[in-house]
Structures are given as structure tokens and as C-alpha cells.
Amino acid sequence: MAEVAGVVTIRWDVLPTELSEVRRLSLYPFKPASKNLDAEMTANPATIFAGAFRENQPIGCIAVLPEPNHGCTARIRWFGVLENERGQGVGTQLVAAAQKHATDSDQTLWADVRMKAIPIYERLGFEPLGDFFELPEIGLHRVMRWGPTGLRS
């Protein structure tokens, strides 16, 4: 894949409306844009969003929300990178930004991770938890979790 020109920056506290189309195209390209699809992004007002931007255009997204589960305090959701931007480290930058945010706010993270994203999470120290499971229309996932000092007992 050819490298796309321009520096990628990660910005936190991005409005969900600024990232909704990137989220849809990278995660749910089989669904049309709709208010219903976007509504879940604003259901929890404590959710914070980060975007990856190239020349002020959003090319990736990630969210962290307070949803305790699997021995963790917060959940990563809606992690996606536009198809033409993949393979260049943008996804790694987004997940690493979520880890820094978690460390700075004394949180641990969990996520339902799609098969194709598992290598990113593994490289960044997330550990698998449980078996693979299928989400309708989306595919196989696995719960993965992370803490600044590790989570294994």
C-alpha cells in the first residue's frame, strides 16, 4: 500500500458528528447513514471521542466510555480507520492514544475487538479474554483488555 502524504494528528474531545461518517465507512459500510446509526454515539454523555486527522480531515476514530466490565473500568468502542488509510499505523496511534488517556485518568480498558484489529491490540499489550464470539452482520470478535500495569493475576 502506498503511503498517503500528510502528517496524522490525534485529537481528543472531538464531537461525534465530526466522526460519524468515518465511523460508518470504516465499521459499518454496509449500512446507510442514518440518525439511528449515529444515536448510539451520544447515548452515554460521558463518552469521549478521539479522531485521527490528516490535513484536518478525519480518517479514523475511537471512543472511550465508562462501561465497567471484564475487570476493567472503561470500554473502547468505535475504533476504525478509513480503508485507504489502513496499514500505515493510524490504528496503532488511536489505540495508543486511548491507552494514554486511560493511564492519565487511572482507568483500565476492555474492548470487543474485531479479528482484523487483534494484532494491533496485541502489539500494544492487550490480553485476550475468553473465546471468540460472533456479532451479527459484523463477524468474529474477542474481548481484549489492558491496564497500565497489566491485568493478569
Side-chain angles (χ1 to χ4, degrees):
M1 172 178 284
E3 187 171 321
V4 179
V7 175
V8 173
T9 57
I10 307 297
R11 278 195 340 241
W12 281 100
D13 297 318
V14 178
L15 294 174
T17 53
E18 195 172 353
L19 299 173
S20 63
E21 186 64 0
V22 169
R23 174 182 166 260
R24 185 187 71 79
L25 290 172
S26 62
L27 298 173
Y28 312 107
F30 51 89
K31 292 185 177 186
S34 71
K35 287 185 180 185
N36 287 342
L37 185 61
D38 293 345
E40 71 177 348
M41 293 176 75
T42 57
N44 182 336
T47 302
I48 60 164
F49 294 89
F53 293 83
R54 188 184 304 280
E55 298 177 4
N56 288 321
Q57 295 300 310
I59 61 169
C61 57
I62 198 164
V64 175
L65 58 154
E67 192 176 307
N69 203 350
H70 307 294
C72 297
T73 57
R75 180 181 184 185
I76 290 177
R77 285 200 77 186
W78 308 307
F79 164 52
V81 176
L82 293 176
E83 192 168 346
N84 66 321
E85 297 283 351
R86 293 177 187 163
Q88 301 175 63
V90 176
T92 299
Q93 289 178 59
L94 283 164
V95 175
Q99 288 175 295
K100 182 177 181 339
H101 169 79
T103 299
D104 292 348
S105 55
D106 197 29
Q107 295 179 319
T108 52
L109 299 170
W110 72 275
D112 289 336
V113 180
R114 293 177 187 218
M115 290 291 295
K116 63 185 172 187
I118 286 174
I120 292 170
Y121 284 84
E122 287 177 334
R123 277 194 309 272
L124 291 171
F126 279 73
E127 61 186 46
L129 184 66
D131 294 327
F132 291 95
F133 61 95
E134 182 91 20
L135 288 178
E137 296 186 317
I138 301 172
L140 277 178
H141 285 66
R142 186 168 209 182
V143 172
M144 298 191 80
R145 62 189 192 149
W146 175 88
T149 60
L151 294 170
R152 293 193 189 268
S153 32

